Amino acid sequence: MKSGNVVLGIVGGLAAGAILGVLFAPDKGSNTRKKIARKSGELKDNVKESFNEFLTSVEDQYHDLTSKAEDMMEEGKANLDRINHELNK
């Protein structure tokens, strides 16, 4: 979860820096608007990619956790069956 926040923070900082750099650069208004539009598109793509990576990470962790839970349940059932068998001897 922390790595997702770090990635989003970095992407946000880069985007803010890029937008401020474009706004303070001496250029015509039409060129500045084009640059802002392009940088906004790049930011959107970066955020989308970071979010997809975050979702993939969450999905992987979910699958690992459910697999471990299933293994623990099977182990618990086996132990219960063993104990039950020992008690019924």
Side-chain angles (χ1 to χ4, degrees):
M1 191 68 113
K2 287 184 179 183
S3 63
N5 290 338
V6 170
V7 170
L8 289 176
I10 290 171
V11 170
L14 290 172
I19 290 172
L20 288 174
V22 168
L23 287 175
F24 288 108
D27 207 350
K28 290 175 28 179
S30 61
N31 290 341
T32 301
R33 286 189 294 276
K34 288 178 187 176
K35 287 180 184 178
I36 290 173
R38 187 180 75 246
K39 293 290 182 184
S40 297
E42 290 172 6
L43 171 63
K44 179 191 76 158
D45 293 341
N46 288 339
V47 169
K48 191 175 184 179
E49 182 180 333
S50 295
F51 187 70
N52 286 337
E53 289 173 3
F54 172 73
L55 285 180
T56 300
S57 171
V58 169
E59 287 174 351
D60 290 345
Q61 291 175 8
Y62 171 77
H63 291 300
D64 288 345
L65 183 61
T66 55
S67 177
K68 287 178 184 177
E70 288 172 356
D71 291 346
M72 289 176 66
M73 285 177 45
E74 291 299 321
E75 184 179 332
K77 286 179 185 177
N79 287 337
L80 186 59
D81 287 344
R82 184 182 49 80
I83 290 170
N84 213 3
H85 180 72
E86 291 292 323
L87 289 175
N88 290 327
K89 278 188 175 180

